[in-house]
Amino acid sequence: MGGVTSSSPRGPSRREWFSELIGRTRFVVLIAVVAVLLVAFSLFLQGTLLALYTIYETWRDMLREGVDQGTGEVAVAFLEVVSTMLKAVVFYLIGVGLYSLFIRPLNLTSALGVESLSDLEQKVVSVVIVILGVTFLEHFIAWKDPQDTLYFAASLALAGGALVFFQRVHRGQGGDLQQPEAKLRARRELFEHDTEQRHIREQDVKRAEQATEGKAEGEVDAAGGAA
């Protein structure tokens, strides 16, 4: 007598296996993370050495020629140090941000307000705007050619205005503004308990879902009212 054949549990299907393989490709981002962090560390080292050298030259010139000698050149030199450090911060934010978004979430990025690619863009753009301001201040203090300085200021204003417009358009679309309590909890775990690894709790998922639903309902109500 032929018995009924029971279906034995199968392994993952071809589609599931391919999806798993595609999902694992996110670790390719580690190449970019390592490269960008190396650039950031190099810039930090360059800025540190440049700062030490500038401090040494400043004190040497002050002891030889007096305090009032070359104040403008000293200011430009130190602004160059600040600009180098800010560039290092940009690469560092990109490196740790990509790691937290694609590999494993970190409390550091959550404490900085980087919960999505939109947040990362906002932070990077903010630092770039500061770099533009510092760069213009260097040229303004040097003041070699007024006409060139004016053209340079106009070009920086155009670029900075475009970046500010980009920020205003994308304001409030990331997780930084949607989950402030998660940001504060990440800061506490990072700075008070020295916990680098971030654990995503079920409450965070539900809270994010509620925030998304509330935002969608608000948009629907606003559209309905406008209609």
Side-chain angles (χ1 to χ4, degrees), residues 27-41 95-96 98-99:
F27 289 101
V28 177
V29 180
L30 279 174
I31 300 175
V33 170
V34 173
V36 172
L37 288 180
L38 286 176
V39 174
F41 294 150
V96 297
L98 290 178
Y99 181 88

Side-chain angles (χ1 to χ4, degrees), residues 110-138:
S110 182
L112 293 175
V114 179
E115 299 285 350
S116 63
L117 282 176
S118 178
D119 291 334
L120 182 59
E121 291 173 358
Q122 294 286 327
K123 303 302 179 183
V124 171
V125 168
S126 299
V127 181
V128 170
I129 292 175
V130 177
I131 293 176
L132 292 177
V134 173
T135 304
F136 171 72
L137 190 57
E138 291 180 29

